[in-house]
Amino acid sequence: AIAMENALLYKETKDFSIKLEKEVKKATRDLRKANAQLKKLDAAKSEFISIASHQLRTPLTVIKGYISMMLEGNFGGLTKPESESLEKVFESNERLIQLVENLLNISRIESGRLQFNYQQVDMNNMVASVKEELAANAKKKGLILQYKAPAKPVPTIKLDDEKIRQVVMNLMDNGIKYTKQGSVTVKLEQKENKIQFCVTDSGMGIRPEDMGNLFKKFSRGSGTSLIHTEGTGLGLYVARMMIEAHHGRIWAESGGEGKGSKFCFELPVK
Ligand SMILES: Nc1ncnc2c1ncn2[C@@H]1O[C@H](COP(=O)(O)OP(=O)(O)O)[C@@H](O)[C@H]1O
Ligand SMILES: [Mg+2]
C-alpha cells in the first residue's frame, strides 16, 4: 500500500512540475513580448519628444527675433506700456525656449544621441557673459548679483561650450528665481586639478527631505512658495547629465528652509 501511495505521489509531483514548467515558459514569453512592446513605446516616445521639440523651437526662435527687434525700436518708438508688455512676452517666450531645449536634451540623452562638441573654453569669459545676461533679471527683483572672479584667471579647459554654459545659466537663473531678497553670488576658482563654479544665494533654501531629489527628472522642491514660481524641474537633471558627461561632479548645500542655498560643480583640468 505504501508503494502504491508513493507511486501516486510521484506521479502527482511530476504532473505538477510539468505544469509549472509550462506556466513559467508562458510567463517568460509574455514578459519578453511586453518588454519588446515597452521598448518600442519608449523609442516612439523619445522620437515624439524630439520631433515635437524641433517643431516648437523654430517658431519660438522666430518670435524671439521679432520681439527683440520691436524692443530695440526697429519698428518705431514704443510707449512704456507697450515695451513692458513686450518684455513680458519676451520673458515667457524665453521660458518656453528653455523648456523645449531641456526636453530636446533629455530625449537625446535618453536615446544616446546627445553629441558633444569639445573645444578649449575660457570659463572666465563664459561666467562673466552669463552674469551680464542675467543682470537685468536680478536688478528687477532688487537682488545684488555679484561675480567673484578668480584673482588669477582659471586656465582654459576642454568642454562643450554651449552645454556647460547652459548649466551655468540654469544654476544662476535658479539662484535668482528662488531668492526674494538679498544676493546671488557667483564664484569661479581653480582648486588643485579642478575648476570649481559655485552660486550662493540668500533665498528660500532647501528642505533636508528635498535634498536627495533635486537632480532627478521633473523633481521640484516641496516648499509652499514654490507653487508660485514657474518651473519644470528639468534644469538640474539636465545639468547633472551634462556635468557627468564631462567627468565632473555637481552638488547642492543648504542650511534648510529659508537659509539660502549653494549649488556647485567642478570639472577636471587636464
Ligand atoms: N537656488 C535654489 N534655491 C532653492 N531651491 C532650489 C534652487 N535651485 C533649485 N532649487 C530646487 O530644485 C528644484 C529643481 O530645479 P530645476 O531642475 O532647475 O527646476 P526648476 O527651476 O524648473 O524648478 C527646484 O524646483 C527647486 O525646488
Ligand atoms: Mg531651473
Side-chain angles (χ1 to χ4, degrees):
I2 287 179
M4 180 82 165
E5 234 169 67
N6 270 349
L8 258 176
L9 208 63
Y10 173 74
K11 190 176 176 304
E12 247 171 49
T13 315
K14 204 175 157 204
D15 285 352
F16 181 68
S17 83
I18 288 172
K19 205 174 140 212
L20 202 65
E21 204 175 306
K22 263 192 198 150
E23 264 169 31
V24 168
K25 268 193 188 140
K26 185 178 176 301
T28 311
R29 250 195 335 266
D30 287 352
L31 270 178
R32 277 221 185 91
K33 222 162 112 198
N35 195 22
Q37 262 165 356
L38 270 180
K39 269 194 190 140
K40 241 193 238 164
L41 209 64
D42 202 50
K45 185 201 73 185
S46 292
E47 191 63 22
F48 169 75
I49 294 178
S50 167
I51 292 171
S53 308
H54 271 297
Q55 296 303 326
L56 282 169
R57 194 160 60 164
T58 316
L60 290 175
T61 312
V62 175
I63 293 172
K64 180 182 172 124
Y66 279 102
I67 300 283
S68 302
M69 286 196 276
M70 286 175 172
L71 280 170
E72 279 162 21
N74 289 0
F75 306 125
L78 298 172
T79 64
K80 202 163 176 242
E82 280 170 345
S83 64
E84 277 172 3
S85 307
L86 277 177
E87 260 165 37
K88 294 222 170 79
V89 177
F90 186 84
E91 277 163 29
S92 295
N93 193 56
E94 284 292 290
R95 291 259 171 241
L96 270 176
I97 290 174
Q98 243 187 46
L99 170 63
V100 167
E101 216 37 65
N102 278 335
L103 287 175
L104 256 178
N105 276 321
I106 288 176
S107 82
R108 285 196 192 118
I109 291 167
E110 292 182 348
S111 60
R113 279 180 294 141
L114 191 67
Q115 280 174 6
F116 291 89
N117 173 20
Y118 290 100
Q119 60 196 85
Q120 287 294 332
V121 174
D122 182 346
M123 283 200 60
N124 308 281
N125 288 343
M126 181 199 286
V127 175
S129 99
V130 175
K131 190 216 158 193
E132 283 314 304
E133 213 171 303
L134 292 176
N137 286 1
K139 201 175 160 202
K140 234 179 277 166
K141 291 187 71 177
L143 300 174
I144 301 165
L145 176 63
Q146 48 179 342
Y147 169 36
K148 288 191 182 159
K152 180 171 154 267
V154 299
T156 62
I157 52 172
K158 221 171 188 169
L159 47 80
D160 184 314
D161 193 16
E162 205 184 299
K163 300 202 171 62
I164 297 300
R165 193 186 150 89
Q166 215 181 320
V167 177
V168 167
M169 176 70 92
N170 184 43
L171 295 186
M172 286 173 64
D173 179 61
N174 279 348
I176 295 168
K177 197 161 75 166
Y178 295 112
T179 301
K180 279 219 177 77
Q181 53 181 315
S183 59
V184 176
T185 305
V186 183
K187 198 169 174 188
L188 183 69
E189 62 187 320
Q190 180 165 9
K191 289 204 157 174
E192 290 163 27
N193 57 349
K194 294 188 179 87
I195 288 181
Q196 189 180 91
F197 169 85
C198 290
V199 182
T200 308
D201 67 58
S202 62
M204 60 179 268
I206 301 157
R207 294 177 169 184
E209 66 262 34
D210 290 335
M211 269 293 179
N213 296 320
L214 290 176
F215 296 93
K216 291 185 186 156
K217 209 188 331 182
F218 293 113
S219 143
R220 304 197 70 211
S222 55
T224 42
S225 44
L226 210 78
I227 302 166
H228 306 292
T229 320
E230 276 179 61
T232 51
L234 291 176
L236 289 180
Y237 172 72
V238 172
R240 178 165 66 92
M241 292 295 154
M242 300 303 183
I243 296 297
E244 285 176 0
H246 284 77
H247 308 289
R249 199 166 71 85
I250 184 165
W251 70 95
E253 299 166 18
S254 173
E257 199 165 4
K259 302 264 172 68
S261 326
K262 182 174 182 182
F263 282 81
C264 300
F265 68 73
E266 55 187 26
L267 295 171
V269 185
K270 276 202 209 79

